[in-house]
Amino acid sequence: MKSSNTSDICADRGSDSSGGGDGDEHKAFTSYAQKVHCKQEDYDNVVGMIDISDYIKISSDDVDDIAENIDNMTISDNKLFQDPPPKEDCPICMLPMPHAEGICGVRTVYMPCCGKYLCEGCSIAEDDEMREGNLKQWCALCRVPQPSPYTDEIFLKRLMKRANANDPNAFYVLGGIYRRGGELSQDLTKFFEMMNKAAELGLAMAHYNLYVAYLTGYGVERDLDKAIRHLQLAAIGGDEVARHKLGTQEARLGNMNRAMKHFMIAARSGYDDALKEVGEGYKAGHVTKDEYASTLRTHQSIRNEMKSEQRSKAAANRL
């Protein structure tokens, strides 16, 4: 069954087991000099090349207006440090999925027929059942038949239909395809257009990708102020890795109170690296005993909620 694993299209977040790392990206953030190279993937036997402009109309003026509106947004501390939105549940196993790919080893799969996300564990289990003949070849959620062969052309047309319905995830997936090339020719201008549209519609992952683009000058002129704004908006939208990065930057500036606020929010969302920072903050006297204990309990609770045997198998298959 053709779908899109979002981990294949997101901006590279590092290789640590929790789903993201700092490393070179933070060096670039602080030195203004080092560039992070987004991962490029080669795709063979490409079929169904489509001119997306025949289906989706986004003008350069539209993109400029979106970018300007985001630039003019006021982000108060109350908004920046508010609790993140709840995690979306996988509609099959009903277990929460992280906002950022790979947190707690959980990745997600986008279904372009209905615009829903599944956790990777349920997607693999569904594919296995179809191969064994126990399930019909249709989407488990919307019951739309999955044609065989499921070509790139069919996949793209379904994506475009979802995009025309203003589905931010469809714009995000299309942006990722344009970033890496493959089903569509690589086009960084269109990558930027699609990510801006997804960001306008409130998708945290899109803000994170725009953060990386502005930080590194990937397809757009480097602009650190815009990079930070998109990182903040990604964190407000629940992106655990973005929240952790904000904490790291505040710590490097010596703003430990603000840094620990960011780290505690990320840790309570299940991000291991952030919990380590909270622990170090407790040892250094920046975090109270009650704050550390509460963060630790919430961190363990959300990690337990996101665990399942199917998800563990999916993670093991990636090794």
Side-chain angles (χ1 to χ4, degrees):
M1 179 169 56
K2 182 93 172 174
S3 56
S4 177
N5 188 311
T6 53
S7 64
D8 292 336
I9 59 176
C10 292
D12 189 1
R13 300 189 181 213
S15 59
D16 80 18
S17 60
S18 299
D22 300 323
D24 289 343
E25 209 166 293
H26 281 304
K27 292 177 183 177
F29 200 105
T30 53
S31 70
Y32 296 84
Q34 183 174 351
K35 180 175 181 179
V36 178
H37 295 283
C38 294
K39 182 180 179 181
Q40 297 296 310
E41 301 182 34
D42 295 323
Y43 282 77
D44 299 323
N45 303 319
V46 176
V47 298
M49 302 299 282
I50 297 175
D51 184 358
I52 198 171
S53 63
D54 292 339
Y55 296 84
I56 301 173
K57 306 296 183 183
I58 303 179
S59 69
S60 58
D61 289 341
D62 291 335
V63 175
D64 290 342
D65 288 344
I66 292 170
E68 184 178 356
N69 289 337
I70 292 174
D71 290 344
N72 291 334
M73 291 178 62
T74 300
I75 302 177
S76 67
D77 274 2
N78 285 339
K79 184 174 184 179
L80 182 60
F81 291 110
Q82 68 186 9
D83 289 335
K87 301 181 190 298
E88 183 178 349
D89 290 341
C90 171
I92 293 182
C93 66
M94 301 306 294
L95 298 178
M97 300 180 291
H99 293 282
E101 279 295 303
I103 299 298
C104 301
V106 179
R107 293 185 178 177
T108 57
V109 175
Y110 178 73
M111 306 301 295
C113 46
C114 55
K116 301 294 185 182
Y117 273 101
L118 309 180
C119 72
E120 189 181 32
C122 286
S123 178
I124 291 175
E126 181 186 22
D127 288 345
D128 289 343
E129 290 295 305
M130 287 181 182
R131 278 193 295 270
E132 294 174 7
N134 298 326
L135 286 178
K136 293 183 178 180
Q137 294 285 334
W138 56 17
C139 174
L141 300 173
C142 67
R143 296 298 191 245
V144 167
Q146 307 299 319
S148 180
Y150 196 160
T151 65
D152 287 347
E153 184 172 1
I154 294 171
F155 174 63
L156 289 170
K157 285 183 176 179
R158 287 185 171 182
L159 267 182
M160 293 170 192
K161 183 178 180 180
R162 291 301 312 167
N164 279 325
N166 260 358
D167 179 349
N169 294 298
F171 284 110
Y172 175 77
V173 173
L174 284 166
I177 292 172
Y178 274 123
R179 180 181 68 83
R180 70 179 187 229
E183 297 95 330
L184 293 165
S185 298
Q186 186 183 47
D187 187 325
L188 297 186
T189 297
K190 290 190 180 296
F191 153 73
F192 193 68
E193 291 174 356
M194 297 298 142
M195 285 299 168
N196 266 282
K197 186 63 178 177
E200 180 193 33
L201 294 169
L203 191 64
M205 292 186 294
H207 282 296
Y208 189 92
N209 273 254
L210 289 169
Y211 150 70
V212 175
Y214 278 118
L215 175 70
T216 65
Y218 189 80
V220 67
E221 184 177 349
R222 291 190 73 201
D223 190 316
L224 189 57
D225 289 339
K226 290 182 179 180
I228 295 172
R229 178 168 294 274
H230 280 289
L231 187 64
Q232 290 174 331
L233 290 169
I236 290 169
D239 191 296
E240 298 89 349
V241 178
R243 179 67 68 177
H244 179 264
K245 289 184 184 298
L246 287 175
T248 300
Q249 297 312 315
E250 292 288 4
R252 289 182 174 178
L253 293 172
N255 302 325
M256 297 309 298
N257 183 49
R258 295 175 65 86
M260 290 302 145
K261 285 183 179 179
H262 286 302
F263 288 141
M264 284 189 284
I265 292 173
R268 289 167 182 165
S269 296
Y271 193 35
D272 285 346
D273 287 359
L275 182 65
K276 294 175 184 176
E277 297 290 352
V278 176
E280 292 300 317
Y282 171 60
K283 294 177 184 178
H286 302 302
V287 175
T288 68
K289 181 179 180 180
D290 288 345
E291 287 174 331
Y292 182 44
S294 173
T295 300
L296 184 61
R297 287 193 298 269
T298 305
H299 171 84
Q300 190 60 53
S301 176
I302 190 61
R303 287 189 64 86
N304 289 339
E305 288 179 24
M306 286 194 283
K307 285 182 180 178
S308 74
E309 182 178 351
Q310 288 182 173
R311 290 180 176 184
S312 296
K313 288 181 179 178
N317 287 340
R318 295 195 300 268
L319 299 178

